[in-house]
């Protein structure tokens, strides 16, 4: 398993251009979102806690993390072939599953239906998203964090 804590760590993924692009893109997006709430110096030191799975033994981690907040299937068509990468977002981490492992992803992780988080930090009493004003979840898009329903 490869751990990516911040932008300079993405250089370890350079051997796989597809996963490198997806991890770097999502990390830059999360970084941009976090800059709305934090100083740039704090964001530079922030541990984004991304993981890229490398072998089938790493897939066990998904069961340990519980149900994800978001599961994204990325299908890339290259030279007539389709390669699939998964991005699985949890409250505390983001896991990327490269194309060579995507066909071995546990069924429950790939098809987990949306669920309601029991964490009061991210859901209000009516079940709508409500981020903590002091420190919102950095992996959620701003339109979700800013909903005040």
């Amino acid at each position: 398993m490869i751990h990516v804590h911040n932008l300079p760590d993405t250089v370890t993924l350079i051997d796989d251009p597809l996963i490198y692009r997806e991890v770097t893109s999502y990390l830059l997006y999360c970084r941009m979102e976090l800059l709305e709430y934090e100083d740039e110096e704090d964001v530079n030191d922030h541990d984004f806690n991304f993981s890229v799975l490398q072998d089938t033994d790493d897939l066990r981690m998904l069961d340990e993390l519980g149900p994800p907040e978001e599961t994204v299937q990325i299908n890339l068509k290259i030279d007539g072939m389709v390669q699939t990468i998964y991005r699985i977002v949890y409250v505390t981490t983001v896991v990327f599953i490269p194309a060579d492992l995507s066909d071995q992803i546990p069924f429950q992780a790939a098809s987990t239906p949306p669920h309601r988080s029991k964490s009061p930090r991210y859901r209000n009493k009516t079940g709508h998203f409500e981020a903590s004003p002091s420190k919102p979840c950095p992996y959620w898009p701003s339109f979700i964090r800013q909903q005040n329903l």
Side-chain angles (χ1 to χ4, degrees):
M1 183 178 324
I2 299 172
H3 295 283
V4 177
H5 303 285
N6 48 41
L7 202 53
D9 291 344
T10 60
V11 74
T12 60
L13 305 171
I14 202 76
D15 291 336
D16 186 342
L18 298 178
I19 201 76
Y20 173 76
R21 180 182 66 191
E22 295 304 321
V23 170
T24 303
S25 299
Y26 197 66
L27 183 64
L28 287 169
Y29 174 77
C30 292
R31 189 177 189 287
M32 179 203 65
E33 289 282 318
L34 197 57
L35 279 170
E36 292 180 22
Y37 304 96
E38 303 280 341
D39 294 330
E40 187 166 353
E41 185 177 303
D42 293 335
V43 172
N44 289 339
D45 295 334
H46 184 77
D47 180 359
F48 285 94
N49 196 22
F50 285 18
S51 297
V52 179
L53 306 187
Q54 290 188 293
D55 56 43
T56 54
D57 291 338
D58 293 340
L59 291 171
R60 283 182 272 163
M61 172 188 173
L62 299 176
D63 288 330
E64 295 168 7
L65 290 170
E69 295 290 323
E70 174 183 302
T71 301
V72 178
Q73 180 179 351
I74 304 161
N75 294 316
L76 305 164
K77 187 173 182 181
I78 303 167
D79 294 330
M81 296 179 58
V82 176
Q83 294 187 14
T84 301
I85 296 172
Y86 284 95
R87 179 179 69 232
I88 304 176
V89 180
Y90 297 89
V91 173
T92 58
T93 189
V94 178
V95 177
F96 289 85
I97 301 175
D100 59 335
L101 291 176
S102 67
D103 62 338
Q104 299 175 40
I105 186 172
F107 178 75
Q108 68 241 33
S111 61
T112 302
H115 72 285
R116 296 209 177 259
S117 173
K118 295 179 182 168
S119 170
R121 179 177 178 198
Y122 301 109
R123 294 275 184 178
N124 64 21
K125 291 180 183 177
T126 62
H128 293 97
F129 291 105
E130 184 178 81
S132 167
S134 61
K135 192 147 189 158
C137 179
Y139 308 121
W140 288 8
S142 60
F143 71 89
I144 291 176
R145 287 196 311 257
Q146 294 171 0
Q147 281 184 355
N148 195 11
L149 303 174

